[in-house]
Amino acid sequence: MTIQRTLSIIKPDATRRNLTGRINAKFEDAGLRIVAQKRLHLSLAQAQAFYAVHKDRPFFAELTEFMASAPVVVQVLEGEDAIARNRAVMGATNPANADAGTIRKEFALSVGENSVHGSDAPDTAAQEIAFFFSGLELVG
Ligand code: ADP
Ligand code: MG
């Protein structure tokens, strides 16, 4: 078992509906510790920079406009196998395919407005954490 850190974002559809506490309870109940957290309203340019990996996908404009449409909560989750554990708690990208009890099954509105982001691998987790946080902001 490895202690990892992963980047989590509570997306605009969830902050609009006042779901940040209920979503974070799911992470904490799964053994993930929130070791850094802040609420931001991303500019379109910031959303485009964060999701640059998807710039050629047909949903890029929809995704980045959505991510800049209202505040988000960006946070770092820490725990055993945190990257995979977070993805398991999140559920499948499309809530129609998500398992019962997952965040996306309970809260997501659609494949686009799906309430949470989570890093998918150690290298992207490190890049995504560094996009939003300095080392001083990771408080354990
Ligand atoms: P995940 O967030 O599960 O890692 P992806 O990395 O494939 O999923 O996609 C990033 C985000 O882009 C998704 O969480 C979702 O908000 C959006 N997205 C993915 N596929 C679609 C789609 N077919 N239509 C609209 N938005 C999409
Ligand atoms: Mg992804």
Side-chain angles (χ1 to χ4, degrees), residues 51 53-54 87 93 104 117-120 128:
Y51 277 116
V53 66
H54 293 312
R87 300 283 309 188
T93 306
R104 284 166 164 170
H117 166 86
S119 308
D120 60 10
E128 291 177 1

Side-chain angles (χ1 to χ4, degrees), residues 11 54 59 62-63 87 93 104 111-112 114:
K11 294 184 177 182
H54 293 312
F59 55 81
E62 175 187 335
L63 171 62
R87 300 283 309 188
T93 306
R104 284 166 164 170
V111 65
N114 59 3

